[in-house]
């Protein structure tokens, strides 16, 4: 594995290059790797359950933020 220090060109680089390579930043180092492949598998029942719970939590949070009275009660309850 090649190591490079103080590389001005790749410093802070991130994202996809030529739809084949990916620049990443890990622990302060620039890493160049192959582009990850997407899985063609359908989500499991457990994953679908978590998604549904997250959606419900998101809808609840938006409704509380839209109602100032509920927001005050929630903030007081957290303190």
């Amino acid at each position: 594995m090649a190591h490079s220090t103080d590389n001005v060109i790749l410093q802070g680089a991130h994202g996809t290059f030529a739809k084949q390579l990916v620049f990443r930043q890990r622990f302060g180092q620039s890493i160049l790797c192959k582009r990850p492949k997407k899985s063609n598998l359908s989500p499991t029942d457990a994953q679908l359950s978590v998604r549904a719970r997250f959606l419900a939590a998101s809808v609840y949070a938006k409704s509380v933020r839209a109602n100032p009275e509920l927001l005050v009660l929630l903030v007081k309850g957290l303190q």
Side-chain angles (χ1 to χ4, degrees):
M1 176 187 295
H3 292 276
S4 176
T5 58
D6 295 328
N7 189 336
V8 178
I9 296 172
L10 295 181
Q11 184 177 7
H14 64 279
T16 305
F17 178 72
K19 295 184 180 181
Q20 293 180 355
L21 303 173
V22 176
F23 289 102
R24 297 181 180 178
Q25 297 294 319
R26 296 288 184 257
F27 306 109
Q29 294 183 344
S30 297
I31 299 173
L32 179 63
C33 57
K34 291 186 346 183
R35 184 174 165 202
K37 294 181 181 180
K38 290 188 177 182
S39 174
N40 292 332
L41 300 175
S42 58
T44 64
D45 290 337
Q47 289 172 327
L48 292 174
S49 173
V50 169
R51 288 180 188 179
R53 289 177 40 213
F54 189 86
L55 178 62
S58 176
V59 169
Y60 172 75
K62 287 179 183 180
S63 69
V64 169
R65 290 190 67 184
N67 188 339
E69 295 173 359
L70 285 177
L71 186 58
V72 169
L73 291 173
L74 180 65
V75 170
K76 284 184 181 178
L78 293 175
Q79 293 177 350

